Amino acid sequence: MHDTGDLNDRVSDAPSDNWVYRILPPWLWPYAQLARWDRPIGWQLLMWPCFWSATLAANAAIGEGLYSGSLLVSHLFLYFIGAVAMRGAGCTYNDLVDHEIDMEVARTRSRPLPSGRVTRRRAKIFIGLQALVGLFVLLQFNWFSVFLGVLSLGIVALYPFAKRFTDWPQFYLGLAFSWGALMGWAGIFGGLSFAAVLLYAASVAWTIGYDTIYAHQDKEDDELIGVRSTARLFGDRTRQWLIGLYGLTLVLMFIAFALAGANLIAFLALLGAAGMFAWQIVRLDIDDADQCLALFKSNNRVGLIIFFGLFISLLFAIP
């Protein structure tokens, strides 16, 4: 394993000036890369449905006299830790499954496993350590939430194989990445409601949209090695599909917010998200990999806008 600060220890699709390379010792870099700590967009996109759901549930809890500000704040902190840990474990698992595929794709060839900087055995140990952090976080919630969290593991385990048997692997990613839209509500109420289910469905549609944009970076390599994706399926019709997927996201969220009793501020935030979606659709050039990556990353701001609206809505609703 390399033990120097040479640029050969970096990966091609992450910024070389990331905090990982400024703070961590070089021997830890490959593990940080496996967990994607140098690319925070993944845990951010995993975290937002959790934050949306918990804050939407808090809005609903006010009407039922069950609101607790300290509980919400503690849950948001736990979801942050859980998102970083479980996204890292999921990415490490995904890299193990896709080891040989990653060796054939230019963008992923420099990752720790295909480049030989981490062995498969050490990667498996690293998955276990991250999963233990995720388990610790999960056990801080009620037992219904624990049961719900365990259920998600089946989808997480299936996702890396989806690209081998369906043109819709982004749908399976959506099922996994959006699970927090159920967890946040369950953590507050100890059960689910129609509003939470609609928020989950909205998050799935959102994930399919943004990950389709992301997948356009690899479509040529994917075609050569037989990997399937919605980017390849939609092709030149991607813009029309995004209108439908992002439109569905907004409609389902609007209904979920209404059912949970969110106020006008939350709906204004949805309007802001709609503007961001429109900007992505207008700007999209599916043949420009750098632009696709930038548009994909802009969905972090979408997540923040929606959360901000729900949080401010909550502050105005507190008696």
Side-chain angles (χ1 to χ4, degrees):
M1 187 179 301
H2 297 290
D3 194 33
T4 71
D6 192 89
L7 285 177
N8 289 331
D9 288 327
R10 316 297 172 89
V11 290
S12 64
D13 56 346
S16 60
D17 62 344
N18 188 269
W19 70 268
V20 162
Y21 308 112
R22 288 183 276 108
I23 296 177
L24 298 182
W27 68 270
L28 277 177
W29 291 357
Y31 299 98
Q33 291 162 359
L34 278 175
R36 310 294 197 271
W37 294 341
D38 55 341
R39 279 163 288 180
I41 184 62
W43 64 256
Q44 290 164 347
L45 293 176
L46 180 63
M47 179 186 71
W48 288 127
C50 303
F51 274 34
W52 298 342
S53 184
T55 314
L56 185 64
N59 275 271
I62 288 177
E64 300 182 24
L66 301 174
Y67 173 72
S68 168
S70 60
L71 181 67
L72 175 63
V73 171
S74 66
H75 281 193
L76 293 178
F77 176 74
L78 289 170
Y79 290 134
F80 162 68
I81 299 297
V84 174
M86 294 313 295
R87 191 261 184 156
C91 286
T92 308
Y93 169 69
N94 189 75
D95 282 4
L96 279 167
V97 172
D98 286 347
H99 189 169
E100 294 184 5
I101 290 177
D102 285 346
M103 295 177 70
E104 303 298 324
V105 178
R107 187 176 60 83
T108 59
R109 200 172 292 137
S110 59
R111 288 179 178 176
L113 280 168
S115 66
R117 289 179 291 122
V118 171
T119 65
R120 292 182 64 85
R121 179 175 177 273
R122 290 184 178 183
K124 291 174 183 177
I125 293 172
F126 188 47
I127 289 176
L129 293 174
Q130 293 175 96
L132 284 175
V133 175
L135 177 62
F136 172 78
V137 168
L138 184 61
L139 291 177
Q140 307 311 303
F141 293 94
N142 58 60
W143 285 110
F144 181 82
S145 298
V146 173
F147 171 73
L148 199 61
V150 171
L151 280 183
S152 71
L153 295 179
I155 300 172
V156 172
L158 177 63
Y159 165 66
F161 300 97
K163 64 175 72 75
R164 293 164 169 82
F165 64 81
T166 178
D167 291 325
W168 290 84
Q170 280 68 29
F171 171 71
Y172 289 87
L173 178 68
L175 294 178
F177 251 56
S178 302
W179 203 259
L182 301 176
M183 294 293 295
W185 190 281
I188 298 291
F189 286 111
L192 294 176
S193 73
F194 192 46
V197 173
L198 287 176
L199 185 65
Y200 176 64
S203 299
V204 172
W206 178 53
T207 305
I208 297 172
Y210 69 62
D211 203 59
T212 296
I213 295 174
Y214 183 84
H216 271 289
Q217 297 177 94
D218 300 327
K219 59 190 173 187
E220 289 84 6
D221 286 332
D222 288 349
E223 186 172 1
L224 287 173
I225 61 180
V227 169
R228 301 159 78 173
S229 71
T230 48
R232 291 185 60 199
L233 177 66
F234 298 166
D236 292 336
R237 295 174 294 127
T238 294
R239 185 171 279 105
Q240 291 92 320
W241 274 97
L242 287 177
I243 292 171
L245 288 165
Y246 285 160
L248 180 62
T249 299
L250 294 168
V251 169
L252 292 176
M253 281 192 177
F254 183 93
I255 300 172
F257 288 10
L259 289 175
N263 68 31
L264 178 62
I265 298 172
F267 294 100
L268 290 176
L270 272 187
L271 188 61
M276 288 289 296
F277 287 151
W279 175 79
Q280 289 181 39
I281 292 167
V282 170
R283 291 266 301 169
L284 180 64
D285 179 354
I286 61 174
D287 296 317
D288 184 339
D290 290 339
Q291 188 207 60
C292 286
L293 181 60
L295 292 178
F296 161 75
K297 289 182 176 180
S298 73
N299 281 280
N300 181 49
R301 294 195 293 275
V302 173
L304 176 61
I305 288 169
I306 295 171
F307 169 68
F308 184 75
L310 286 169
F311 190 77
I312 298 302
S313 169
L314 175 66
L315 294 180
F316 275 90
I318 297 173

